[in-house]
Amino acid sequence: MKKLFIILIILFSFVLSFSQRFLPPVKDSYLTSSFGEYRDTGDKPHFHLGIDFSSFSRIGYPVNAAADGYVYKIWLNHKVYGNTIFLYHPDYDLITVYAHLNSFKGILSEIANSVISEVGNTFAEVKFPEDEIRVSKGEEIAYSGKSGEAEVPHVHFEVRELRKSGNEEIEIVRDALEFVDYIEMRPRKLEALEIRSNNRTFKLLEDQITEIPFATLPKLEVKADEKIGNNTKIIPRKISLRVNDELVYEIEFDAIRADEMYSANTVFGYGSNIFTYWLKLYSSSFITPIKVNRWNEIAFTLKDRNPAELILEDIWGSVKVYKLVLVKEM
């Protein structure tokens, strides 16, 4: 009886955890882009701070609220986000963001049209009092589009958290896949394709050890991605480098400060674009995705030959390990 009671508690917790997750903004849709990807569109390179859901190449496809809450603000004519809704969810103390919209629904449509009649195509932000415009989980709030820098119709979705640091309010953008009730059913292939060192490029294979030459300090960059189905490519969630059995460098795309949006070149190397990701395994700067950077500690302890491992992980638990040897050039 006691064992049955424990099982029932576990099952209840499992069901509850999924019922508390956010709904995807587009019903029966699929993921087309992931959090943290490199974007070279717009004025300058930046991080992709959300996840994208297909609107099946349609403008005007219904967009739904992820959870109960109220409208926090809207953006009109933002150069990157286009027409955007921000919802605040008191039960989670989080904000969800819906971008590249073609139009809004109901009272928001009336307000947006009124503002646009005054400002035209210039950017405008409209903030709303707490609880003034309430929404329910799954409620239709807007329609998909390709406003802002979007090239094709889709829905860009974010989860944001406001944190206090002294008198300053910091906006942290989280990987929305952690919060959304979404199961990826398509086949996935996580892999590192190539690695660069001292302007030389080497192919990577799981079943062989790759020797990588370096001079004073290894400045490595790895080309990596995860292919999903036939037409989606996303970035690995975590990239780690171990040298001589020590964790030396690690990047994880779980959160990025909103004010770090235009710091993408700290993490991404030359040749990166919307389809290709060259990830730096070194940096002289610190931003949120860089979790570990110990090169300064170990630079003078490197030997002539240094066994290393490059480890890729995705958000669904897949792991790929590539064996390396970092060889000091004499």
Side-chain angles (χ1 to χ4, degrees):
M1 185 67 182
K2 185 177 180 181
K3 185 181 289 187
L4 178 62
F5 181 69
I6 292 171
I7 291 171
L8 287 173
I9 289 176
I10 292 171
L11 285 173
F12 176 76
S13 300
F14 179 80
V15 171
L16 186 64
S17 67
F18 269 85
S19 67
Q20 290 176 337
R21 285 179 174 267
F22 289 142
L23 286 179
V26 182
K27 188 177 180 181
D28 299 327
S29 184
Y30 57 90
L31 189 73
T32 60
S33 292
S34 59
F35 180 79
E37 293 177 6
Y38 187 83
R39 291 290 185 267
D40 53 357
T41 50
D43 293 342
K44 52 185 175 179
H46 56 274
F47 287 113
H48 183 245
L49 293 184
I51 59 177
D52 290 344
F53 284 96
S54 172
S55 63
F56 312 102
S57 300
R58 289 170 56 183
I59 290 176
Y61 203 82
V63 177
N64 307 309
D68 295 345
Y70 59 83
V71 180
Y72 175 60
K73 65 181 178 181
I74 60 172
W75 282 349
L76 303 171
N77 306 318
H78 189 280
K79 64 180 181 179
V80 176
Y81 285 76
N83 300 322
T84 307
I85 296 179
F86 294 73
L87 301 182
Y88 177 70
H89 307 282
D91 291 345
Y92 302 83
D93 195 21
L94 294 171
I95 294 167
T96 55
V97 182
Y98 313 74
H100 305 314
L101 304 172
N102 183 61
S103 58
F104 306 98
K105 185 173 181 179
I107 186 66
L108 286 181
S109 177
E110 296 175 21
I111 293 169
N113 290 337
S114 175
V115 173
I116 288 171
S117 68
E118 295 182 22
V119 303
N121 292 325
T122 58
F123 170 70
E125 178 181 82
V126 183
K127 288 190 173 180
F128 297 90
E130 184 177 323
D131 258 351
E132 182 175 275
I133 303 176
R134 292 204 59 84
V135 298
S136 300
K137 186 174 185 176
E139 180 182 339
E140 204 171 286
I141 56 172
Y143 301 98
S144 65
K146 56 175 186 176
S147 57
E149 68 172 18
E151 295 181 355
V152 296
H154 69 277
V155 178
H156 173 95
F157 180 71
E158 293 181 6
V159 173
R160 297 191 175 206
E161 178 183 0
L162 297 178
R163 296 181 188 172
K164 288 283 188 181
S165 178
N167 294 325
E168 184 184 6
E169 191 172 64
I170 300 171
E171 200 163 5
I172 307 292
V173 190
R174 306 281 298 276
D175 182 1
L177 271 180
E178 288 186 12
F179 301 88
V180 175
D181 185 6
Y182 174 78
I183 299 174
E184 183 53 70
M185 302 300 293
R186 295 169 292 173
R188 308 189 313 272
K189 185 178 183 181
L190 177 67
E191 62 181 341
L193 304 166
E194 297 175 313
I195 193 165
R196 292 195 298 225
S197 173
N198 296 349
N199 297 317
R200 283 182 280 181
T201 302
F202 306 87
K203 287 192 177 297
L204 289 172
L205 296 171
E206 270 191 289
D207 57 355
Q208 73 177 36
I209 298 173
T210 305
E211 292 197 354
I212 310 294
F214 71 96
T216 307
L217 184 69
K219 287 196 170 183
L220 307 177
E221 298 181 3
V222 60
K223 182 181 178 183
D225 59 44
E226 182 165 23
K227 296 176 180 64
I228 303 178
N230 296 322
N231 56 4
T232 299
K233 184 190 292 185
I234 66 172
I235 199 167
R237 169 63 180 257
K238 184 189 288 188
I239 305 96
S240 308
L241 180 68
R242 299 185 66 87
V243 180
N244 296 324
D245 289 327
E246 292 190 54
L247 180 61
V248 173
Y249 203 84
E250 186 170 88
I251 304 167
E252 184 173 8
F253 295 104
D254 59 342
I256 299 173
R257 286 174 50 140
D259 59 6
E260 294 172 336
M261 179 175 175
Y262 291 102
S263 301
N265 284 338
T266 303
V267 172
F268 291 94
Y270 173 77
S272 295
N273 56 47
I274 193 171
F275 303 110
T276 304
Y277 315 120
W278 280 100
L279 292 143
K280 295 179 180 178
L281 301 178
Y282 64 92
S283 177
S284 58
S285 304
F286 175 81
I287 59 173
T288 307
I290 300 174
K291 308 302 184 186
V292 178
N293 183 0
R294 297 182 56 220
W295 279 120
N296 287 339
E297 293 178 42
I298 72 154
F300 300 105
T301 67
L302 292 173
K303 307 166 188 175
D304 291 341
R305 294 179 65 83
N306 304 271
E309 286 184 335
L310 173 68
I311 305 163
L312 306 183
E313 300 175 54
D314 71 10
I315 195 168
W316 298 287
S318 297
V319 179
K320 285 288 183 74
V321 180
Y322 296 84
K323 300 287 186 180
L324 314 173
V325 177
L326 306 183
V327 181
K328 186 180 289 187
E329 293 184 313
M330 306 305 289

